[in-house]
Amino acid sequence: MRIGVITFPGSLDDVDAARAVRLAGAEPVTLWHADHDLRAVDAVVLPGGFSYGDYLRAGAIAARAPMMRDVVDRARQGMPVLGICNGFQVLCEAGLLPGALTRNSHLHFRNRDQRLRIERADTAWTSAYTSGQEVVVPVKNGEGRYVASPAELERLEGEGRVAVRYVGGNPNGSLRDVAGVTSEDGRVVGLMPHPEHAVEDLTGPSTDGLGFFTSVLTGVVAA
């Protein structure tokens, strides 16, 4: 299984994401944002950090990168894509996920271990969990507040497209405690917390995040 990890100028967690992919049992494949070659990967991870052009709006310019045009095309054909933190912002700006990520409501950067509840355990990136399961994964963001119009939020709730929700306190003011959402087909997931920082006992608060990366292995094989 080959899982691409895209690096943008300013990406901080691409190496961590690649390590998580490797620990999950897949082969990480490095992808550069300016290239037009997905290198025959089976799935793609957009890691956290920062992307060039964030001063305009987080992820807005990165979403137009050559590699992202290929990702959008393949995602619409069913390729699984996971966006973490800045990657979530890029997926929203690219139109693969609804809503937007804005400045934290308290205007401060937030970095802490965060409890999450898995709301959807049938997406390409969450099938290793059970619905309602609580996990602990770090968050670290300054623009992590998920927003959408009231009608859009109602639609997402009605369609069961909130994949992950904050519990035990909302770190950034996200509407309805949304920590992650999924596409209609469950193949694309955006997540503000960082599961790649919770894959080893030595370095993380738990190993709860590894399931996001093992999930896709089963999903791709099944497909």
Side-chain angles (χ1 to χ4, degrees), residues 68-147:
M68 281 305 302
R69 291 200 288 271
D70 296 338
V71 169
V72 169
D73 288 343
R74 285 285 306 280
R76 288 174 175 162
Q77 296 170 25
M79 181 182 72
V81 180
L82 175 67
I84 303 169
C85 195
N86 187 234
F88 187 7
Q89 296 164 343
V90 173
L91 290 179
C92 289
E93 292 290 341
L96 287 176
L97 292 175
L101 285 306
T102 62
R103 188 77 182 272
N104 293 351
S105 59
H106 44 67
L107 304 182
H108 296 287
F109 188 89
R110 185 64 77 235
N111 183 0
R112 74 186 193 195
D113 297 334
Q114 176 68 46
R115 279 200 300 135
L116 308 171
R117 184 171 62 243
I118 306 297
E119 303 281 37
R120 281 280 302 272
D122 60 348
T123 77
W125 300 93
T126 60
S127 61
Y129 303 100
T130 57
S131 181
Q133 181 177 348
E134 292 190 6
V135 299
V136 176
V137 171
V139 295
K140 51 171 187 172
N141 61 73
E143 295 184 62
R145 180 175 183 257
Y146 184 80
V147 298

Side-chain angles (χ1 to χ4, degrees), residues 162-202:
V162 176
V164 186
R165 212 180 296 265
Y166 298 114
V167 292
N170 185 324
N172 47 39
S174 285
L175 300 182
R176 304 201 184 187
D177 298 327
V178 171
V181 299
T182 182
S183 58
E184 291 182 9
D185 63 4
R187 306 290 280 177
V188 179
V189 169
L191 181 72
M192 185 49 56
H194 287 263
E196 77 281 13
H197 294 320
V199 295
E200 295 179 287
D201 287 322
L202 180 64

Side-chain angles (χ1 to χ4, degrees), residues 42-75:
D42 302 296
V44 165
V45 175
L46 279 65
F50 301 91
S51 55
Y52 67 108
D54 277 355
Y55 55 83
L56 174 63
R57 192 173 62 248
I61 293 179
R64 276 76 185 167
M67 183 63 72
M68 281 305 302
R69 291 200 288 271
D70 296 338
V71 169
V72 169
D73 288 343
R74 285 285 306 280

